[in-house]
Amino acid sequence: MNQSPTAMALLYREAMSKVAAAVHVITTEGEAGRYGITLTAVASVTDSPPTLLLCINRNARIQPILRANGQLCVNVLAASQQDVAEHFAGMTSIPAHERFLQHDWQNHQHTTQPQLVGALAHLHGRIIDSHDMGSHSVFYVAIEYINVNEQDNQGLLYFQRQFTQTAVPVCEAGCV
């Protein structure tokens, strides 16, 4: 007997909660305005040319803004930036128009996209393609500028519906 679509959707969400994912804040600024969203559905497509894919719910408020602006920054969050993730996920009472006021942001010198000071990395790019798949849109982003924070910080993860952080392996004698 097959499971109902509703049961499958619930089981799928539960299964995906068992997959640890890096936490990002996607930001965009342009003629359509400035906006950001917390996202875990970010994946590398290829490094030649550097391309990412983002999966964003079709009902998300960022959708029309992102499509109109065409550019974005993927801010890879450090473990110490959980509050940023919570604000941009709408988990706090901070309204969307005040979220950028809560943290230290600067606009990239070439792309003018907002980037979070202290993030593990900033990947600036432009949307080159998108398509809808079920409840989400898949965006392909050509990366044009990259900044990697050289500080040794822990990454912020989302696992089993809660935030956690990466663990740095302890090197015992004999580690290379």
Side-chain angles (χ1 to χ4, degrees):
M1 177 180 222
N2 289 338
Q3 295 172 324
S4 73
T6 302
M8 284 292 287
L10 291 172
L11 286 170
Y12 182 80
R13 285 188 200 112
E14 184 62 25
M16 291 299 98
S17 80
K18 307 297 184 191
V19 178
V23 181
H24 313 84
V25 169
I26 309 306
T27 56
T28 185
E29 185 167 345
E31 288 186 20
R34 186 182 217 198
Y35 204 81
I37 187 173
T38 300
L39 203 63
T40 56
V42 175
S44 173
V45 175
T46 178
D47 67 351
S48 187
T51 307
L52 292 175
L53 69 79
L54 316 175
C55 299
I56 303 175
N57 189 293
R58 289 169 55 187
N59 295 323
R61 288 182 54 196
I62 198 172
Q63 279 268 2
I65 300 167
L66 193 57
R67 289 180 187 278
N69 289 346
Q71 292 187 35
L72 57 87
C73 177
V74 176
N75 295 275
V76 182
L77 299 188
S80 62
Q81 296 171 321
Q82 179 176 330
D83 61 331
V84 179
E86 291 170 347
H87 294 323
F88 283 87
M91 299 170 77
T92 66
S93 61
I94 308 283
H97 65 278
E98 292 182 13
R99 292 175 185 162
F100 285 101
L101 302 175
Q102 305 303 310
H103 309 95
D104 192 7
W105 295 90
Q106 58 185 215
N107 287 58
H108 188 269
Q109 62 183 350
H110 298 293
T111 70
T112 70
Q113 296 305 298
Q115 58 183 29
L116 178 64
V117 173
L120 297 180
H122 307 109
L123 296 102
H124 293 265
R126 60 184 167 75
I127 298 168
I128 56 172
D129 199 4
S130 69
H131 68 273
D132 293 337
M133 175 63 66
S135 61
H136 283 63
S137 297
V138 180
F139 292 91
Y140 295 89
V141 180
I143 302 302
E144 298 170 333
Y145 295 96
I146 300 171
N147 175 55
V148 177
N149 186 341
E150 297 300 328
Q151 294 176 333
D152 188 23
N153 292 327
Q154 298 292 309
L156 184 62
L157 299 178
Y158 198 68
F159 180 68
Q160 293 186 316
R161 296 182 179 89
Q162 59 188 350
F163 292 104
T164 186
Q165 65 183 30
T166 56
V168 175
V170 177
C171 188
E172 301 294 330
C175 290
V176 189

